Amino acid sequence: MAKILILSTSTGYGHDQAANSFKEILLAENNQVLVYDFLKSNKILNGSVVNGYELCANSLRLLYGIGYKITNNSFINKLNGIIFSSVCKSLLKVIDSYKPELIITTHPLCVSILSKLKKKNFISLPIISVVTDFKAHYTYISQEIDAYITASESTKNHMITKGINKNNIFSLGIPLRKEFYNSNKITKIHKTNNYFNILLMGGGMGLN
């Protein structure tokens, strides 16, 4: 049994969903798991990041796209380390209090925070980053991360081009709620040779 800390925050809900799905999987293996919102200690940053994301994703998509491209460079993690310095301190307190054996993060913004703590030797724990996007933004990229889990081989290859060692990337897919693994008896009854499935997917804020 391992003691595991999972870090996420609520931008678009997908990161939280991945965190909670991981929790289900790990609890089933008799691990001790804590899911923690790493931004909740700073109300200003939390409100700015979460509300800002929802505003841009829903109403200012062009601005969001421009911002994504501008920040998709290696400098962004150093900048995030400065912006989220107060979060570093509060997160370190949580880590020291909970004393996990492993840290998993499902949110890219947490990568720079954990990397900063590791570079300064405040923590030496193994860190796994779960890449919930199909194309990894530079906020995911850090040599301080011990292992990455990606949704696909394509995501893995994309991260390799950004300098991540291929041996540290595992294309295992994005964790799902256990309900997705339940078989559908009705589908089995009606399934024929020309039957096909349609998977309709959307973000946490719905489909347009």
Side-chain angles (χ1 to χ4, degrees), residues 32-206:
Q32 186 176 342
V33 184
L34 172 66
V35 175
Y36 178 75
D37 186 333
F38 66 92
L39 282 184
K40 75 175 185 179
S41 63
N42 189 310
K43 291 182 180 179
I44 295 175
L45 278 175
N46 184 57
S48 299
V49 172
V50 174
N51 296 331
Y53 173 83
E54 292 186 3
L55 175 64
C56 289
N58 282 318
S59 305
L60 303 170
R61 294 177 186 175
L62 179 60
L63 181 62
Y64 177 83
I66 293 171
Y68 183 97
K69 290 179 180 178
I70 291 173
T71 59
N72 194 19
N73 288 285
S74 57
F75 79 88
I76 189 61
N77 289 322
K78 291 182 180 179
L79 181 61
N80 281 341
I82 297 170
I83 294 172
F84 296 103
S85 58
S86 64
V87 177
C88 285
K89 295 176 183 177
S90 58
L91 180 56
L92 184 59
K93 290 180 181 178
V94 173
I95 294 170
D96 288 342
S97 174
Y98 185 63
K99 294 180 172 55
E101 299 166 63
L102 170 68
I103 296 176
I104 299 172
T105 175
T106 61
H107 200 286
L109 289 181
C110 198
V111 169
S112 58
I113 296 169
L114 291 170
S115 296
K116 185 175 181 179
L117 291 174
K118 207 165 189 180
K119 281 181 180 178
K120 292 192 173 184
N121 296 316
F122 288 120
I123 60 173
S124 57
L125 298 165
I127 301 170
I128 297 174
S129 174
V130 181
V131 182
T132 56
D133 300 313
F134 286 101
K135 198 168 185 179
H137 189 274
Y138 250 105
T139 45
Y140 281 107
I141 306 302
S142 172
Q143 300 302 325
E144 307 303 320
I145 300 299
D146 297 281
Y148 284 93
I149 295 175
T150 64
S152 67
E153 284 290 324
S154 175
T155 310
K156 176 179 178 177
N157 293 334
H158 180 246
M159 295 188 75
I160 292 170
T161 65
K162 291 189 173 183
I164 300 300
N165 188 321
K166 65 179 181 180
N167 296 321
N168 296 339
I169 311 172
F170 303 87
S171 54
L172 303 177
I174 296 173
L176 301 173
R177 296 198 311 270
K178 62 182 180 181
E179 287 82 1
F180 281 94
Y181 297 99
N182 295 335
S183 61
N184 189 321
K185 294 181 180 179
I186 296 175
T187 300
K188 285 184 177 180
I189 293 171
H190 294 286
K191 191 168 184 178
T192 62
N193 290 333
N194 60 356
Y195 184 94
F196 65 95
N197 292 318
I198 298 176
L199 176 61
L200 183 62
M201 300 178 68
M205 291 178 285

Side-chain angles (χ1 to χ4, degrees), residues 4 8 26 147:
I4 301 166
S8 183
L26 293 168

Side-chain angles (χ1 to χ4, degrees), residues 6-10 13-28 33-37 104 106 132 175-179:
I6 302 177
L7 301 171
S8 183
T9 199
S10 303
Y13 308 106
H15 302 289
D16 282 348
Q17 194 63 257
N20 289 321
S21 296
F22 242 123
K23 181 180 179 179
E24 277 187 352
I25 294 167
L26 293 168
L27 285 176
V33 184
L34 172 66
V35 175
Y36 178 75
D37 186 333
I104 299 172
T106 61
T132 56
L176 301 173
R177 296 198 311 270
K178 62 182 180 181
E179 287 82 1

